[in-house]
Amino acid sequence: MPVPSIKLNDSTSIPLIAWGNGTGDAKKTAYESGQVAVKAGIRHIDTAQGYDNEKEAGESLVKAEKDNGIAPNSVYLTTKISTEGGDPNAKGVALEDLRQNVLDSIERLGRQPNLILIHNPFVPPKGKLVEFWRILEEMKDKGELTASLGVSNFRPQDFNELLPHCKVKPAVNQIEWHPYVLTHLQPVLDIMAEHNIVVESYGPLSPLLRHPTGGPIKPVLERIAARLSKETGKDVDAAMALLLWTRAKGVVAVTASGNSDRIHKLALTQELPDLTAEEVSEIEQLGRKIHFRAYDEHMCVDFPAPSLPKDL
Ligand SMILES: NC(=O)c1ccc[n+]([C@@H]2O[C@H](COP(=O)([O-])OP(=O)(O)OC[C@H]3O[C@@H](n4cnc5c(N)ncnc54)[C@H](OP(=O)(O)O)[C@@H]3O)[C@@H](O)[C@H]2O)c1
């Protein structure tokens, strides 16, 4: 079964379901769980300098590809240039250190990543985003870096600073994205749509896992899960229905788990049929009525959240 993928603005393809190792047990067990993920059928792994497990991520792929007869380096691999621990207030990366920083990541991973992101707009020195990006473009020109270039946690003002001056446009923006942040994100999503920049969603399951009640979309997701379970004979749950909604929106879902059963469910999601257009729209309309965000340390800086209720 081919892995569902989407084209980026640099003509490469990215698998729509990614297993991330930046949170929870997945972070602690990047080597073991990374292998479980690939064995289960996931073909996109998301790591970062700030997760302190690039080496384990790279080694897990070598082992999993070998054990499962998958061609070396064929699992899509994303990493990120981070501030320490991803903390926006921690030290970023100086321009003069960036080239070596990226070469060090490649060495830890044991291969070229397919995608490298600026983890958040506070990684480059203040006011130096364009110069920072140019160094990455130059590394690509020289063949020192072959990855697609992308960003993460970028707000409208960050794109407005970068886009008029870059040669290579960011291919993706990895942000917290789910139905309950759509209203807040609209200005940044409009810019991204204009430049064909794909959304990568982290925290895609926040409505179900972190919202205190699950909010207005929970009963809809449960209804869809029951329909799909009946129609496919598979055990489809609300989290899988939410990931299918993410796929229907053409968004890459970056989710995480250190639990083997849940990793297998994540992989199984790739084989499930699409939601109906009515279901997709129902979730979106309900989601837009509230605002609930799990991660506010980057996106809410100088980009205020809308005054919407947290629940209906
Ligand atoms: N760019 C950034 O700034 C940024 C920020 C945050 C995250 N990320 C990336 O995105 C990845 C995912 O982020 P996230 O953890 O917020 O994603 P998420 O998919 O919203 O949540 C995943 C968490 O929920 C649990 N879980 C997963 N499936 C579940 C299910 N069906 N039922 C109940 N619990 C479930 C997992 O715990 P168990 O281990 O117990 O299954 C895991 O800790 C990270 O690992 C990282 O790679 C990037």
Side-chain angles (χ1 to χ4, degrees), residues 74-94:
S74 66
V75 177
Y76 194 95
L77 178 60
T78 299
T79 196
K80 315 183 191 83
I81 304 161
S82 311
T83 50
E84 252 165 62
D87 177 351
N89 299 314
K91 197 169 154 278
V93 180

Side-chain angles (χ1 to χ4, degrees), residues 18-27 29 33 45-48 51 78 80 86 117-120 151-153 173-176 178 200-210 237-240 242-243 253-263 265-266 294-295 297-298:
W19 177 82
N21 59 25
T23 38
D25 287 347
K27 185 173 181 181
T29 61
S33 298
I45 304 289
D46 180 273
T47 186
Y51 307 160
T78 299
K80 315 183 191 83
L117 311 178
I118 299 179
H119 205 150
N120 65 63
V151 297
S152 177
N153 300 300
N173 186 19
Q174 188 180 111
I175 46 183
E176 179 180 350
H178 51 70
E200 276 198 288
S201 160
Y202 70 74
L205 299 178
S206 290
L208 291 170
L209 304 181
R210 301 183 182 99
D237 62 23
M240 293 158 93
L242 185 49
L243 294 173
V254 187
T255 180
S257 181
N259 172 302
S260 173
D261 288 348
R262 286 207 270 271
I263 295 173
K265 285 199 144 195
L266 179 62
Y295 300 88
E297 65 270 39
H298 301 118

Side-chain angles (χ1 to χ4, degrees), residues 101-122:
N101 169 295
V102 171
L103 294 177
D104 288 348
S105 251
I106 295 169
E107 191 180 330
R108 282 190 295 272
L109 294 168
R111 58 173 271 194
Q112 287 274 344
N114 298 81
L115 174 65
I116 189 160
L117 311 178
I118 299 179
H119 205 150
N120 65 63
F122 311 104

Side-chain angles (χ1 to χ4, degrees), residues 33-85:
S33 298
Q35 291 176 61
V36 175
V38 174
K39 199 169 176 189
I42 289 163
R43 292 290 176 271
H44 181 175
I45 304 289
D46 180 273
T47 186
Q49 294 173 357
Y51 307 160
D52 209 15
N53 58 18
E54 285 177 305
K55 192 165 182 292
E56 289 78 1
E59 286 172 355
S60 76
L61 293 191
V62 172
K63 175 96 169 70
E65 287 170 339
K66 193 162 171 245
D67 289 356
N68 297 285
I70 303 167
N73 298 350
S74 66
V75 177
Y76 194 95
L77 178 60
T78 299
T79 196
K80 315 183 191 83
I81 304 161
S82 311
T83 50
E84 252 165 62

Side-chain angles (χ1 to χ4, degrees), residues 182-254:
L182 290 182
T183 303
H184 182 209
L185 290 177
Q186 200 55 56
V188 76
L189 297 177
D190 288 343
I191 297 174
M192 289 168 63
E194 191 187 329
H195 295 273
N196 200 10
I197 298 168
V198 162
V199 181
E200 276 198 288
S201 160
Y202 70 74
L205 299 178
S206 290
L208 291 170
L209 304 181
R210 301 183 182 99
H211 188 282
T213 67
I217 66 167
K218 189 176 177 191
V220 180
L221 293 170
E222 286 171 345
R223 190 190 75 217
I224 294 169
R227 174 181 74 73
L228 287 173
S229 296
K230 200 167 159 206
E231 287 174 15
T232 63
K234 308 240 159 76
D235 182 16
V236 180
D237 62 23
M240 293 158 93
L242 185 49
L243 294 173
L244 289 174
W245 178 80
T246 307
R247 182 177 86 192
K249 298 294 292 176
V251 167
V252 178
V254 187

